[in-house]
Amino acid sequence: MQPSSKSIIGMAKIKLRCWLSALAAVVITTANAQNPLITNQFTADPSARVFGDKVYVYPSHDIRAQPGHGRAGWFVMEDYHVFSSANLTDWTDHGVIVTQNKVPWVKPDSYSMWAPDCIYRNGKYYFYFPTTPKDTTVSKGFTIGVAVSDKPTGPFVPQPLPIKGVRGIDPNVFIDKDGQAYLYWSQQNIYAAKLKDNMLELASEPVTLGELPTQGLKEGPYLFERKGTYYLTYPHVANKTERLEYATSTSPLGPFTVKGVLMDESPTGCWTNHHSILAFKNQWYLFYHHNDLSPAFDKNRSIRLDSLFFEPDGRIRKVVPTLRGVGLTDAKQKIQLDRYSRLSNSGATIAFLDTANKFQGWKTVLASNLAWVQYNGVAFGKQALKTVTLRTMAPAGGTVQLRADGATGPLLAQVTVPKGGQWQEVKAPLSAFKPGIHAVVVASKTDTPVEIDWIRFE
């Protein structure tokens, strides 16, 4: 019997809905940001890796607790995303790669998908993640599982069981020059063990890396090698909140010698910090997190990125967190002045655009004729640009000047901002064009407040 035309149409509609649903599941979104790198969701615990010609970041994903969904006032995470960038400025969100209710061994309502890591070996990508098992005979606390993919962006297929013999959080994987892989994790202490070639099982009994500080919480190990020295880096609560410290060794399993602090406690009061370190295009970088988008609640965090440097003797120079971050910003894109390189001591402040929705980002407020903001690393290119557009608001009106390379540098434009209490885009001609890479200084020339969301050259 042939199906009727109505049934054919019905089946077609069902197929179309399924196709649209599948398409929606793989929608890729792009974020243009400095620090924090991602501004449309909370991200933490960034594990960054270079695969091919891009950097891929595997963070944990903080969400807010809701009735029946996580513990109020605590960390709540149910899935993982992966982000990629070829220039460390423009980040692409490839969507969810692993979620708690699709891993066979995970307690589906645990909301404890904490800090992960990912590594490439023999044509496969291995994604390591800690969480709570539903079978408490496997582990009464956290354990660590693995999901495997043919691509760095997934889809990742979770293994049916976690790694046997591992109890703890914050997995980190390191492959030495001889091909031996190691797994590091934390649970009051920091532990390490060799991995088998299949990257799914331990090849040795875990050892405690015992030369580290004995007082205060230690977690989040991340090991890398440079010029024959193995650097074990980790967050440590030496006072009230976590700071990033490091120790060195001539072996991946130690013994390690504590060398010092590579990042001080968060100036924003974020209780945790968690990080990774890599070299990309002849520069070393530190990925970490603060609570930029949630200053009143440090369980909702945001990942950041700053350059890292070594002293001639191999010591790590302490990294000072910045808002500007790294990378170049195309002059033809929206330049978020609130992620500034320098800010005047008088009359210039940064505030949220909307305190009820902090994902909207920030604005720069220039409240007097002494106020200015400087944003470094703007790439103007070679082709002459003719105008600048400001998204701005000035209840009493105002005037701002844009200069290149400092407050006394060449005048790029003078912009008159009309009086008004609503955001508007104001365009003005450029009086000069400077090809190449420059800092841009935006300064107020009136005593009435001018607010700026972004600027863009065309």
Side-chain angles (χ1 to χ4, degrees), residues 35-115:
N35 279 335
L37 299 183
I38 310 301
T39 55
N40 65 353
Q41 60 187 275
F42 295 117
T43 50
D45 313 316
S47 176
R49 297 290 184 181
V50 178
F51 297 138
D53 59 355
K54 292 184 179 181
V55 172
Y56 293 81
V57 178
Y58 300 83
S60 53
H61 181 199
D62 291 338
I63 60 175
R64 294 198 183 277
Q66 298 177 3
H69 293 76
R71 171 183 161 189
W74 193 238
F75 303 102
V76 182
M77 299 108 112
E78 66 178 335
D79 58 35
Y80 298 100
H81 289 235
V82 58
F83 301 84
S84 69
S85 177
N87 59 10
L88 302 179
T89 299
D90 307 309
W91 292 91
T92 298
D93 180 0
H94 298 275
V96 174
I97 56 172
V98 174
T99 184
Q100 66 180 11
N101 58 14
K102 292 187 178 179
V103 181
W105 57 270
V106 172
K107 185 181 178 184
D109 60 349
S110 60
Y111 293 93
S112 58
M113 307 293 274
W114 288 13

Side-chain angles (χ1 to χ4, degrees), residues 47-51 56 58 116-129 146-152 156 171-176 179-184 195-200 222-224:
S47 176
R49 297 290 184 181
V50 178
F51 297 138
Y56 293 81
Y58 300 83
D117 196 9
C118 190
I119 200 87
Y120 172 80
R121 184 163 202 174
N122 297 330
K124 299 287 185 182
Y125 296 86
Y126 296 87
F127 180 75
Y128 298 79
F129 58 96
V146 190
V148 185
S149 175
D150 294 325
K151 298 187 297 182
F156 282 87
N172 166 238
V173 181
F174 171 75
I175 301 177
D176 206 358
Q180 178 62 59
Y182 297 83
L183 177 69
Y184 300 81
L195 282 170
K196 292 184 178 180
D197 289 342
N198 65 13
M199 304 298 285
L200 305 175
Y222 190 88
L223 187 128
F224 67 95

